[in-house]
Amino acid sequence: PTYGGPINRLMRLPQPQSRTDVAGEEVGAQMPECVVYSTAEKVVGLIMLPLDGNVDASMGLIAHPREVSAISTSHDGRYL
């Protein structure tokens, strides 16, 4: 990704053992493997693996009005 400057943190998003919807019913579709990243310029994002250069397989958003000092994910990979 080219937005927000160079990547300064990169980590693999944990894969959930099983997915459930809002009603608590199990969803059969497997989530693609992803990595999350942050830049020094306010941006955090998500990139789908494998890294193949497809610009549609990544996204970034402004997450904080100042520098992003750390990133973390939930144990099931649902939240960044």
Side-chain angles (χ1 to χ4, degrees), residues 1 6-8 14 16 18-21 24 30 32 41-43 46 51-52 57 59 62 64 68-70 73 78:
I7 292 173
N8 62 359
S18 63
R19 291 185 47 217
T20 57
D21 62 11
Q30 182 70 13
E41 302 293 326
K42 312 176 193 179
V43 176
L46 183 73
L51 299 174
D52 58 2
M59 59 84 57
I62 297 175
H64 198 272
V68 176
S69 60
T73 63
R78 287 184 159 195

Side-chain angles (χ1 to χ4, degrees), residues 4-54:
I7 292 173
N8 62 359
R9 287 175 192 81
L10 185 71
M11 62 186 290
R12 189 175 212 125
L13 190 66
Q15 284 285 347
Q17 296 299 323
S18 63
R19 291 185 47 217
T20 57
D21 62 11
V22 176
E25 305 213 3
E26 191 166 324
V27 178
Q30 182 70 13
M31 285 186 58
E33 288 191 65
C34 298
V35 292
V36 294
Y37 69 90
S38 71
T39 70
E41 302 293 326
K42 312 176 193 179
V43 176
V44 297
L46 183 73
I47 305 171
M48 290 192 311
L49 295 176
L51 299 174
D52 58 2
N54 182 358

